[in-house]
Amino acid sequence: MNTRTGRRLAGVVLGGGAALLALAAPATAAPTTDSSADISVGRLVLEPTNRGYHGSLPVTVTNNGPDATYFSVFLVEPVAGSLGRLDPEEACGFGAPKDNRRTATCSVPGGDIEPGESRSFSIGFDVLTPTRDVAMIAKGGRISVNVGDGRSEVADRASFAARFRSTSGSLRNPVPYVQDTRPAPRSPRPGR
């Protein structure tokens, strides 16, 4: 059973209980999910470079609704300070951090998406850390597609992990990535 089907079956089974809970929910409940769009993501593989790691997350948004619609994506980066650019480039606004990781709302590139049409783009990530000879993984990346500017209902959600390729090229047996909590000490200036 795929994840989407599992979510829908769980929603049917839990629907009655959820209706009772909704009556007791506060007026500012979290955004609900509608079915006007789907979002799917590929793998985020961060390749070692001379300045750390770089990689791109492939994203596809599909309009399931009956009308041409403007969509935005909201994302939480998997590694603090790693979020780069959309390709093709589009406007992004940064929001409050979640668990010390940046959040951003970005327009889906290309404007309105026609009914039944899919739009693909990628989101770049750069992790400025020394490369290692072991593969690593950082979980906790999240992305959602929203109708309009992100203040309306969430249409679909996905989670993703950042996989760091080792300097020998392996992705096997990854260890958890642990980000430094303190900046590296600065070198003294020459002549001092």
Side-chain angles (χ1 to χ4, degrees):
M1 175 184 322
N2 70 34
T3 305
R4 180 163 277 114
T5 304
R7 267 191 272 159
R8 288 185 180 139
L9 288 175
V12 170
V13 172
L14 299 174
L20 291 175
L21 288 175
L23 295 174
T28 57
T32 59
T33 302
D34 69 22
S35 60
S36 61
D38 285 329
I39 191 165
S40 61
V41 296
R43 288 177 42 160
L44 173 58
V45 176
L46 299 169
E47 303 288 344
T49 70
N50 59 354
R51 293 194 59 214
Y53 293 87
H54 172 78
S56 295
L57 176 71
V59 178
T60 300
V61 172
T62 303
N63 182 355
N64 294 332
D67 302 311
T69 306
Y70 166 77
F71 294 100
S72 62
V73 292
F74 172 81
L75 70 110
V76 178
E77 62 188 356
V79 177
S82 64
L83 183 60
R85 296 184 186 176
L86 267 63
D87 183 23
E89 198 166 329
E90 192 60 59
C92 292
F94 292 92
K98 292 199 185 275
D99 302 324
N100 200 33
R101 292 174 287 142
R102 289 187 303 173
T103 63
T105 300
C106 304
S107 300
V108 171
D112 287 359
I113 302 177
E114 295 296 324
E117 178 187 357
S118 293
R119 181 87 38 87
S120 295
F121 55 98
S122 64
I123 304 170
F125 292 88
D126 292 293
V127 181
L128 304 178
T129 188
T131 57
R132 297 191 47 200
D133 61 355
V134 296
M136 298 180 288
I137 190 166
K139 297 180 181 178
R142 297 188 307 269
I143 189 167
S144 64
V145 60
N146 308 291
V147 177
D149 61 7
R151 289 188 286 258
S152 56
E153 292 185 350
V154 172
D156 197 15
R157 297 180 171 93
S159 60
F160 62 97
R163 292 169 174 81
F164 295 73
R165 190 178 301 279
S166 72
T167 53
S168 64
S170 176
L171 287 172
R172 294 177 54 139
N173 303 318
V175 299
Y177 172 74
V178 179
Q179 190 160 12
D180 288 338
T181 56
R182 295 178 298 168
R186 296 178 77 173
S187 303
R189 293 184 190 171
R192 288 198 169 186

